[in-house]
Amino acid sequence: MPLMNWDQTLDIGVASMNKEHREILDAMNRIFDADAAGQSGPAVDQLVAKLGEVTTRHFADEEAYMAKVGYPGLGSHKLIHVKLLQDFGTHAAAIKAAGGKANPEFFNFLKRWLIAHIKGIDSKYAAHAKAAA
Ligand SMILES: [Fe+2]
Ligand SMILES: [Fe+2]
């Protein structure tokens, strides 16, 4: 069972960003499944690092998209991305320090990210883009 399945509620209505959000969700689910299967060690650290890469790329793409559509909330959204990456880095370091063993706090963090950030915060620039189109 994955951390979360892709569903309509994660669809923000921007195809390119939906695609990247799916990649993020897939990367999260790979970590969740590995942990559920009892895995730990460098393989898990690598999956966590992969999520970090996909996310860093996505945030850059998303910020470029928000700039393109003239989204007025770009500045504060960027700051939220910075904080999210900082928190992610803290979790990644804790997992590494635990020998590549993930923990429930990390998965709660990922769930909040999907629900509060993608559904809550990302959907706002999408609504702006739709209204401006
Ligand atoms: Fe996003
Ligand atoms: Fe975002």
Side-chain angles (χ1 to χ4, degrees):
M1 210 182 80
L3 177 71
M4 195 180 278
N5 283 306
W6 180 270
D7 66 25
Q8 295 278 348
T9 69
L10 286 164
D11 177 357
I12 64 167
V14 179
S16 57
M17 295 297 113
N18 278 345
K19 182 172 173 282
E20 294 187 0
H21 287 156
R22 275 178 186 261
E23 285 172 20
I24 289 174
L25 180 59
D26 285 348
M28 289 178 177
N29 281 332
R30 274 194 283 275
I31 303 167
F32 188 78
D33 290 344
D35 185 69
Q39 285 183 38
S40 63
V44 170
D45 285 328
Q46 273 174 26
L47 291 176
V48 173
K50 175 72 181 167
L51 173 59
E53 283 168 31
V54 170
T55 300
T56 301
R57 186 161 41 81
H58 167 62
F59 285 177
D61 289 346
E62 192 169 74
E63 288 163 15
Y65 177 82
M66 287 188 279
K68 194 183 82 178
V69 299
Y71 178 54
L74 172 60
S76 56
H77 198 130
K78 267 188 180 175
L79 292 176
I80 295 167
H81 283 169
V82 169
K83 173 83 167 81
L84 233 166
L85 278 178
Q86 277 173 356
D87 291 345
F88 175 78
T90 303
H91 280 289
I95 290 167
K96 201 165 202 169
K101 180 82 191 103
N103 57 74
E105 291 73 25
F106 175 63
F107 293 119
N108 285 334
F109 164 71
L110 297 184
K111 270 191 200 152
R112 277 201 307 278
W113 173 350
L114 292 165
I115 294 165
H117 192 83
I118 295 179
K119 293 187 190 184
I121 293 168
D122 286 350
S123 62
K124 289 183 185 163
Y125 71 71
H128 169 84
K130 204 175 278 178

